[in-house]
Amino acid sequence: MEPVINISPGASKWDIRQKVWDYIEEQNLANFPRPVHNRIPNFKGAFVACAKVSELQVFTQTAEVKVDPDKPLEGARMAVLEARKTLLVPTPRLRTGLFNKITPPQEASKEQLRICSSSQGVKDFSVPVGLDAKVKVDLVVVGSVAVSEKGVRIGKGEGFADMEYAMMASMGAVDESTVVVTVVHDCQVVDISEELMGSHDLTVDYILTPTTVIKTNCQLPKPQGIIWTKLDTEKLEKIPILKQLRALEEEAGKDVTLGAAPVAAEPGLQTGQPKRQTRRRPRQNTQQEAEGESRQEKRGEAEQKLRQRPARVRKESRGDGRGGYEGEIGRTVKGKSKENMKEQGPEEGGSEVTSGRKLTLSVTTVYLGGIPAGLRVSELKTALREREATPLRLTWQGAQHRAFLDYSDPEAAHEALEALQGLCLNGNSLQAELAKNQRGGKRSGQPNRRPRPSTALKSKVSPPDTKSDTKEMTQH
């Protein structure tokens, strides 16, 4: 296959990522979520490419398949479930463990299997798998930003896929016979120098694209376990299961000496991280974060410039630009730059949204119809919390059997849509979809123009819970 993206000699991993992300956006090859920068791209044709996994000989021979939770791999997770094989999905960001086993309901329909293959399915139909579990994985499916025909893979820069494989190797879940597959768009197959690969980097045996299947015959070794010198105490604090694995390996007499914490660098001098990141997001701020700089100080500085008020955001990072198992990209939250962070609702780890606070301009609204007569707004709030679909703001119009849910951005809204599928209250199935003025590719960053109900309409019927048509989601 002739690469469509030319990689310059001496290009770094970051250079390659940036070039691929830019090309996918410029050529409009991406599906939601967008932009694809700092993500495993969800490309057009991903389901077609994923369907090819069932054509691999190893797929027919294995009983347990591990598939990463990235959006473009949803079709691969669906193929595993349809074949009635055991699906293992890593815990997002390894917060609570290594991975979960997805267990669909008995005699599950195709629609139920689709839900199980989504992020919501991981929450609703999974059980955790511990480090002491007797698991044998013959097939691993990972996402990539770029990959070469020789099997050299580049992820989004956080090192989670590499670390997950190394942890599975440590627990005996994978070995030399385990086949690693990646699913990408044809344009993501590029020339990558093997010199860029480290001992911790995961290589792939097969590449699935919408048009072809490539057997790489890769000769580079895969990780045989965690390389502890590439980690420091800060990383262990972020990923508790690493501490558990380290204790087990220490008991077994292995060398688990950690690497030294990196020294803070001056702005713009850290290795592997560019001075400027190309982001196709509204209100772009190109100021870069110095490695090791206080996260809270940086957050306060950025938010002070944008909103002139203290930031209230999730204290979670996506790679510090430290190399090894750490990422090469600047810190972000849920794939967003700090400068573009929206205020989080209380269920998302942020501060409570007060009635006097205006929502950010990139708010995305979900319409919720079919609300049964007599349903109280408190009951709807409870259902939203249970499904982890808590909005920034809830506009309640119970008399019209509907409500509007405002989310911080399109990604949060689409996650909520997935979570709300099949929601049934008081025997009535509710209908969840993007509000009309959000459909048809409405760009993030444009303010919502949904008119509020007229005074005359509101005065006709005023149910018990509709003293105000706007309800803020708060914790009880």
Side-chain angles (χ1 to χ4, degrees):
M1 175 185 292
E2 187 68 25
V4 297
I5 300 177
N6 294 320
I7 304 300
S8 303
S12 67
K13 286 184 179 180
W14 177 263
D15 294 332
I16 296 172
R17 290 187 188 104
Q18 197 69 25
K19 201 155 191 177
V20 171
W21 284 328
D22 288 346
Y23 183 89
I24 290 176
E25 281 294 338
E26 289 163 2
Q27 300 299 317
N28 195 28
L29 299 176
N31 285 327
F32 171 86
R34 296 181 71 173
V36 297
H37 294 77
N38 296 340
R39 307 178 191 274
I40 299 297
N42 184 23
F43 57 91
K44 294 178 179 178
F47 261 87
V48 174
C50 284
K52 291 180 168 62
V53 71
S54 59
E55 301 172 8
L56 300 176
Q57 184 177 358
V58 65
F59 184 84
T60 62
Q61 298 171 345
T62 185
E64 295 182 323
V65 183
K66 180 252 189 185
V67 184
D68 280 358
D70 305 303
K71 183 67 174 177
L73 302 183
E74 194 168 297
R77 296 192 291 273
M78 181 72 173
V80 173
L81 293 174
E82 285 187 310
R84 304 298 172 180
K85 298 180 183 294
T86 299
L87 173 62
L88 301 173
V89 179
T91 303
R93 309 188 69 76
L94 299 177
R95 292 189 191 96
T96 58
L98 179 51
F99 42 61
N100 295 288
K101 180 169 69 174
I102 311 301
T103 306
Q106 290 282 346
E107 306 299 328
S109 65
K110 188 168 183 176
E111 177 60 21
Q112 287 175 316
L113 292 179
R114 187 196 66 77
I115 295 174
C116 288
S117 68
S118 69
S119 58
Q120 185 62 36
V122 177
K123 299 173 185 175
D124 294 345
F125 301 99
S126 68
V127 293
V129 177
L131 289 173
D132 57 348
K134 300 301 180 183
V135 176
K136 180 61 175 74
V137 180
D138 296 313
L139 178 62
V140 172
V141 184
V142 297
S144 301
V145 173
V147 65
S148 78
E149 289 190 339
K150 295 181 179 179
V152 178
R153 170 191 174 271
I154 295 178
K156 63 178 178 287
E158 295 180 308
F160 280 105
D162 307 317
M163 194 181 304
E164 290 158 5
Y165 190 92
M167 293 176 73
M168 288 193 294
S170 296
M171 63 186 287
V174 296
D175 55 29
E176 295 81 1
S177 65
T178 300
V179 175
V180 179
V181 174
T182 193
V183 182
V184 296
H185 191 275
D186 293 84
C187 75
Q188 293 173 259
V189 182
V190 299
D191 292 327
I192 305 174
S193 172
E194 293 184 4
E195 295 178 356
L196 292 177
M197 294 297 102
S199 56
H200 64 281
D201 286 318
L202 180 63
T203 56
V204 303
D205 302 296
Y206 286 92
I207 303 169
L208 310 183
T209 80
T211 66
T212 189
V213 175
I214 300 172
K215 185 176 182 180
T216 67
N217 296 310
C218 185
Q219 300 302 309
L220 296 175
K222 295 181 175 63
Q224 300 301 304
I226 290 291
I227 304 173
W228 295 104
T229 54
K230 290 185 177 290
L231 301 175
D232 55 37
T233 53
E234 182 181 352
K235 191 69 172 179
L236 259 63
E237 290 302 319
K238 292 178 182 177
I239 306 177
I241 194 171
L242 275 176
K243 294 166 64 174
Q244 182 183 346
L245 177 60
R246 184 169 181 250
L248 291 173
E249 294 203 351
E250 189 172 26
E251 288 179 8
K254 296 184 180 181
D255 184 2
V256 294
T257 303
L258 297 175
V263 179
E266 294 182 13
L269 296 183
Q270 55 271 41
T271 59
Q273 183 177 342
K275 294 183 180 179
R276 178 186 179 113
Q277 296 184 23
T278 302
R279 299 281 187 88
R280 283 162 173 71
R281 289 188 180 277
R283 296 161 59 190
Q284 177 174 330
N285 187 328
T286 58
Q287 179 180 2
Q288 296 301 303
E289 177 179 354
E291 179 180 0
E293 182 177 9
S294 166
R295 189 177 310 167
Q296 187 62 35
E297 290 176 357
K298 182 64 182 179
R299 179 180 303 149
E301 178 183 335
E303 293 294 319
Q304 182 72 18
K305 291 180 179 179
L306 290 177
R307 302 187 181 90
Q308 296 299 309
R309 61 174 179 264
R312 299 189 292 184
V313 297
R314 183 194 299 267
K315 297 180 180 178
E316 182 180 302
S317 66
R318 297 195 72 159
D320 324 62
R322 295 179 179 171
Y325 287 115
E326 297 285 344
E328 293 183 273
I329 60 177
R331 288 190 179 95
T332 59
V333 180
K334 279 195 172 182
K336 308 173 188 60
S337 66
K338 290 178 157 216
E339 294 80 356
N340 291 298
M341 276 300 301
K342 314 300 180 298
E343 291 185 30
Q344 307 272 344
E347 295 296 314
E348 297 180 285
S351 304
E352 179 177 332
V353 182
T354 60
S355 58
R357 180 67 51 87
K358 291 184 179 180
L359 297 176
T360 52
L361 294 181
S362 59
V363 162
T364 302
T365 303
V366 169
Y367 165 83
L368 196 61
I371 293 177
L375 183 75
R376 300 177 65 86
V377 68
S378 58
E379 295 175 286
L380 177 59
K381 289 181 181 179
T382 299
L384 294 175
R385 290 193 184 96
E386 290 175 349
R387 295 201 169 216
E388 298 186 23
T390 305
L392 293 174
R393 183 174 66 182
L394 187 158
T395 302
W396 173 257
Q397 296 179 4
Q400 288 77 42
H401 309 291
R402 66 192 181 197
F404 293 92
L405 315 177
D406 290 326
Y407 293 93
S408 58
D409 52 37
E411 180 180 359
H414 279 78
E415 287 178 356
L417 281 174
E418 284 190 5
L420 295 174
Q421 297 306 308
L423 176 61
C424 186
L425 296 175
N426 292 359
N428 288 59
S429 295
L430 274 61
Q431 173 192 3
E433 60 186 38
L434 286 178
K436 288 183 179 180
N437 62 336
Q438 304 287 316
R439 302 175 196 164
K442 185 179 187 301
R443 294 178 58 186
S444 175
Q446 295 178 339
N448 293 328
R449 303 292 185 184
R450 186 179 73 245
R452 300 172 70 86
S454 66
T455 305
L457 179 61
K458 286 196 289 184
S459 63
K460 289 182 180 179
V461 181
S462 181
D465 285 330
T466 54
K467 293 180 181 179
S468 169
D469 71 306
T470 300
K471 304 288 182 180
E472 304 301 338
M473 293 297 290
T474 57
Q475 291 176 310
H476 295 295

